[in-house]
Structure formats: structure tokens, C-alpha cells
Amino acid sequence: MQRAEVMIKDPGPGRDAALRVIRRSGILLSFVRDVTPMPHSGCRPPKKDEIAGSTRTLQWKCVESRIDSKRLYYGRFVLSPLMKGQVDTIGIAMRRILLEEIEGTCITRAKSEKVPHEYSTLVGIEESVHEILMNLKEIVLRSNLYGTRDASICVKGPRYITAQDIILPPSVEIVYTTQHIATLTEPLDLCIGLQIQRDRGYRMRPTNNSQDGSYPIDVVSMPVRNANHSIYSYGNGNEKQEIFFLEIWTNGSLTPKEALHEASLNLKKNKKEIALKCIFIDQSELPSRTYNCLKRSNIYILLDLLSNSQEDLMKVEYFRIEDVKQIVDILQKYFTINLPKTKFSF
């Protein structure tokens, strides 16, 4: 007996009739397959590569992580693929956020009785008051508190005083407990009141601002010690793409991964404002002549440029209509920003 495999296509009454004829002829049908295309409501089915491209999202990937010491953490991250020019835009903004916007906790003021002035020395204490304040400044704290909290040190000598001797409020933790503060050489009692605050950035203490034996300390609320970015380019012509490498060093109060997470959230929240402040006009592929003309007019960053209209730029010395058109094209191409022809007046 002969065997056959049959594939049928399209609906209709002739399908069943044809199958009956084949069976009556003595041929055994071992396989019958319907190959009629599925309806798609007039829409072309998406290609596989289109589906993959539409669902792909950019995500940071950690390629290196290490702990050099309790006060030095390192992380290296990569983000790709990015279009040409995007790495510098993101990199400058991320570095600024990491170094200036990430909050940290530190000791901002110390108070002790019977201290005549900051540069005095006390009997039974090896260090001067100034040296003790500098040692307190080096202490790294980890916390999620907001506002100002009080802490204290109450010890009896002779002994070494370290960060471990600080009596802290809840939710505050010392990263490096063996940080040296002072040395008591005689059997005396020492009590120091401390003020702890969560803030961002660096602020120098005001001079001559002692209040009833209370002395300010430089505010170093910078958990990120350094951040660098680099670019790897590949491809040719208009298809050129870039890989973004970001290195982060922290003081141990948070990990580089945590710092990157906070910076990314901050960038998403204020991306337009940050970008305008971080991008310098010499990063916009402008000719050197155009750049020099803008620089002489005190236009250095993208925010300065956008405060002018096309009409204002034409008043810049040695500027031509071709230069203005080139600036308009670059702003539209890389930043999707339209520069108005004239300023709005109310």
C-alpha cells in the first residue's frame, strides 16, 4: 500500500472532497498538514529583529567590583550601545551628580567645656583641639537620617579614643571604627558633644564661629570620592556607536552600585536641567571659529546658548547666517531642541 503526505491550503468545500478521493484510491495518508496563513487584520507580522529591538532596554552592567579598604570601594560599569555623542552627554552629567548631588552623613560640630579656643591644648590630652577636630572630620558615617542629630563621646583616661567610642543615634553607623580621635595620657574624664548632619557637597566651616565651646567642622558630605568615564567607539559612518564605561570610587558609606543607582534616579528626574548645565558648547561638534565667537560672547554651556535666540546670535561679532543655521541643526539633531528665531516678549 502506498503512503502519502498531504499539505492543504486555503479554506473551501473542495478540501474534504479531495481527501476522500485520495483515501478511496487506496493511498494511506500518513500526514495531513494545514498550511493556510493565519489572518493578521491587514497588518504585516513583525520581523524577529524588530521584536528584539523594540523590547531591548539599556541597563548598567557591573564589569568590576572590589573593596580596596573599608574606606575605599571601587566599581566599573558599562552601558551600551549608545549613539555617537551620547556618552559625553550622559558621562558629564553623571559625574557631576555623583560628586555633587549624592548625600552623605558627617560630623559638623563638636562641643566640650573649658576649651578657650580651637588652637589650645588641654592638660592630659596629647592632641590639640584643632587636631581633634581634624580627626573627627575624617570619620565616615553611614545613615539614612534627615536633619540634624546629636551624638557624644564620654571616656575616662588614660586610653586611646577612636570612632568606636562615639555614642550614636539610631540608624547611624560608623564605617571605620578604628579611626583615631585623641589620646588621653592622664586619668581624666573627657566628654565631647557632637552634631551629625546629612547633607551633600563640601562646605568650609566659617572662621571664628565658636559658640559656648562649640566649634564647627568642615562639612564633607561626599560619599563618592571620584568618578571617571571613558568611551569606546565602533562601527563606521552614520552607524557608529559607542560604549560607555564609568568608574566610581566611594568612601565606604555606600557602594559604587548604590551610588550609581541614586545618580541614575537623579538624572532621570532632572535630566533636561542637568544636561543644559553640564554640556559645554565645545562638545557639540561646532567648528573652532564658531566656538571661539561664542566664547568671546561669554557663551560656554548649552544653557547659555539657549538663553539666546537666532536673532541674538546674529549680533555676535563675526557671526554669519551659516553659523546660526549650523547651531540650529546641531541642537535639533543631538538634543531635539528648537532655537527660537526671536525672543518672546510679554
Side-chain angles (χ1 to χ4, degrees), residues 80-107:
S80 69
L82 296 170
M83 296 175 60
K84 183 182 177 182
Q86 287 184 328
V87 170
D88 264 335
T89 302
I90 300 174
I92 294 172
M94 286 293 289
R95 187 174 190 274
R96 177 181 176 275
I97 294 171
L98 286 166
L99 294 177
E100 298 180 13
E101 302 295 330
I102 305 299
E103 294 184 342
T105 305
C106 62
I107 299 172

Side-chain angles (χ1 to χ4, degrees), residues 148-152 167-169 194-196:
T148 303
R149 298 289 188 275
D150 293 327
S152 62
I167 304 171
L168 294 168
L194 303 174
Q195 192 176 82
I196 295 175

Side-chain angles (χ1 to χ4, degrees), residues 56-123:
R56 183 183 62 188
T57 58
L58 293 175
Q59 287 188 339
W60 288 102
K61 180 181 179 182
C62 182
V63 294
E64 185 179 356
S65 178
R66 67 173 185 262
I67 301 176
D68 295 330
S69 68
K70 287 188 176 181
R71 293 195 295 181
L72 184 59
Y73 285 46
Y74 171 80
R76 188 166 184 253
F77 307 89
V78 63
L79 183 68
S80 69
L82 296 170
M83 296 175 60
K84 183 182 177 182
Q86 287 184 328
V87 170
D88 264 335
T89 302
I90 300 174
I92 294 172
M94 286 293 289
R95 187 174 190 274
R96 177 181 176 275
I97 294 171
L98 286 166
L99 294 177
E100 298 180 13
E101 302 295 330
I102 305 299
E103 294 184 342
T105 305
C106 62
I107 299 172
T108 59
R109 186 173 285 272
K111 180 179 180 180
S112 183
E113 297 179 356
K114 299 179 181 180
V115 177
H117 57 82
E118 179 183 341
Y119 296 98
S120 62
T121 57
L122 301 178
V123 178

Side-chain angles (χ1 to χ4, degrees), residues 250-265:
T250 67
N251 64 0
S253 62
L254 78 172
T255 65
K257 188 174 182 179
E258 291 170 338
L260 177 62
H261 178 70
E262 287 190 32
S264 299
L265 292 177

Side-chain angles (χ1 to χ4, degrees), residues 22-45:
I22 294 173
R23 290 191 181 98
R24 281 198 291 266
S25 66
I27 298 176
L28 178 62
L29 297 178
S30 60
F31 181 79
V32 178
R33 182 181 179 186
D34 189 342
V35 294
T36 305
M38 295 293 292
H40 52 77
S41 303
C43 299
R44 177 179 61 84

